[in-house]
Amino acid sequence: MVNGLGGTPLMELYILNNEVQQILEAKGIKAYKTFVGNYMTSLEMAGASVTLLKLDDELKACLDYPSEAPAFQVAGAAIGGETAAAQAVEAPTHAAQSDDAPVQAAAPCGDEDTTPFTLSAQDYVNYINITAKKIYENGDYVTSLDAATGDGDHWANINMGFENLVAASDEMRAMPICDVFKKIGMLMMSKIGGSSGILYGGAYMAAARSCAGKAELTNRGLCNALEAMVSDMMARGKAEPGMEAVKGRASYQTNKGVGHLDAGAVTMSYQIECLCDYIAANLI
C-alpha cells in the first residue's frame, strides 16, 4: 500500500508506487494486490507511507473482500499485482470479460459482420511505436492548439509518455497482451503529467482487467478492451454522451474554448487513426 499523508498529489503517489513495484520486481517479489491513495492521512502533511504485508491464503481471502471501513474503502478482488487505481480514486471497476462476453455499447462491437483478426502484443507494440512517431511529428501543431485555450503543455506531456512506452517496447513484446495494457497504464500514470496521466493510466488498467489472462485478443476482445477504456474515462470525468466540456484546461477562458480544437482530442484521434490503419494494413 502506498498511502498519502494528505498533502501529496495522487499523481506523485502513483510515481512512488511505480518505483516501489520496480524494486520489488528486481528482488523477485510479486505483489498480490496494490493500493494507492489517501487512506490514513495526517492533516495535510506532505509525504507518503509504504506498507508491505506477507500474505498467506487466509489473508489473501480477506483482502479480496469488499471493505467500507472509513480508511479502507475498496470494491473487492482485483487482479494480482495491479495498481488499484479505480479503487483509490473511487471510480467504478470493470469486471473481466471473455472474448465472447457481450459489451454494452451503442455500436456493434466485433459482431459477425466484422472481418475476424487476432491482435498480439507484438502488434500492439508496433502500433504504439507508429503512434509515438505521429504524435512527435505533430508537436508544433498540437502545442499551438493547446496554447490557444490552455498552458500549451499537452503535447510535451503526451509525447513524454509515448517516448517511455517506446523505450519499453522490447520488454512489452514478450508479454501477454493483458500485461502489456497494465504496463502501459503504469507508465502513463507515472510519466504523463496533468490529468492525462490518470485518464490514460486508468483506462489502460481497465483494459487489462477486461482481458485478464489473455495472451492475444480477437476483434471481439479488442472491442471489449476499448469499451472498458472509454467507460473508465467517462467514469473518471463524470462524462455522458452529449455533454459539452466546461471544465479542464479551457475552464478559465470566457468562451470555454468554443471554436477551438481540443489538443487532447486531436492526440486521441491520432491514436484511433493509427490503430485502425494498422489493423487494416496488417491484420485484415
Side-chain angles (χ1 to χ4, degrees):
M1 171 184 284
V2 176
N3 171 65
L5 299 180
T8 301
L10 187 60
M11 174 65 72
E12 294 185 15
L13 297 180
Y14 284 124
I15 293 173
L16 174 58
N17 174 65
N18 188 55
E19 296 296 321
V20 171
Q21 296 285 353
Q22 291 180 7
I23 293 172
L24 293 177
E25 289 178 6
K27 295 180 177 294
I29 300 174
K30 181 176 177 59
Y32 174 73
K33 199 169 185 180
T34 304
F35 300 95
V36 181
N38 294 303
Y39 293 97
M40 184 62 71
T41 60
S42 180
L43 296 177
E44 295 184 358
M45 181 181 294
S49 62
V50 177
T51 302
L52 301 176
L53 178 64
K54 185 176 181 179
L55 301 177
D56 55 23
D57 291 340
E58 181 181 5
L59 289 175
K60 287 180 181 179
C62 290
L63 269 183
D64 284 341
Y65 274 93
S67 171
E68 296 182 359
F72 192 66
Q73 297 192 20
V74 295
I79 298 171
E82 174 186 326
T83 302
Q87 297 175 348
V89 297
E90 299 182 356
T93 57
H94 305 277
Q97 299 175 343
S98 70
D99 282 0
D100 297 323
V103 177
Q104 296 181 354
C109 185
D111 60 25
E112 60 187 16
D113 294 328
T114 303
T115 303
F117 61 81
T118 300
L119 182 83
S120 66
Q122 174 82 20
D123 290 317
Y124 205 83
V125 172
N126 290 343
Y127 146 71
I128 287 291
N129 279 262
I130 292 169
T131 305
K133 184 174 184 291
K134 186 173 184 67
I135 290 175
Y136 174 78
E137 291 174 345
N138 286 275
D140 290 343
Y141 173 61
V142 174
T143 299
S144 68
L145 293 177
D146 197 36
T149 56
D151 51 14
D153 67 344
H154 174 73
W155 177 83
N157 284 330
I158 198 75
N159 185 65
M160 181 182 298
F162 272 86
E163 283 182 344
N164 279 275
L165 296 184
V166 170
S169 290
D170 289 343
E171 177 185 359
M172 292 193 294
R173 290 183 201 277
M175 295 178 172
I177 193 70
C178 58
D179 288 347
V180 171
F181 287 159
K182 186 162 67 172
K183 179 69 174 181
I184 292 174
M186 294 183 67
L187 283 174
M188 286 190 158
M189 281 181 180
S190 63
K191 302 299 182 182
I192 299 180
S195 60
S196 294
I198 296 297
L199 284 173
Y200 276 97
Y204 268 101
M205 291 296 192
R209 289 191 292 273
S210 78
C211 62
K214 299 292 184 182
E216 298 179 330
L217 292 181
T218 63
N219 50 310
R220 165 72 69 173
L222 176 61
C223 220
N224 288 347
L226 294 175
E227 177 69 16
M229 295 172 78
V230 171
S231 297
D232 190 87
M233 284 187 169
M234 290 176 66
R236 291 179 191 279
K238 296 179 173 60
E240 297 177 1
M243 290 181 63
E244 295 181 1
V246 294
K247 295 182 179 180
R249 69 169 65 85
S251 62
Y252 57 84
Q253 297 285 338
T254 57
N255 65 352
K256 308 300 183 187
V258 173
H260 292 276
L261 284 174
D262 179 76
V266 170
T267 54
M268 176 59 77
S269 74
Y270 291 161
Q271 295 170 65
I272 297 171
E273 176 189 358
C274 288
L275 180 58
C276 292
D277 286 349
Y278 182 86
I279 291 171
N282 298 279
L283 303 181
I284 297 178

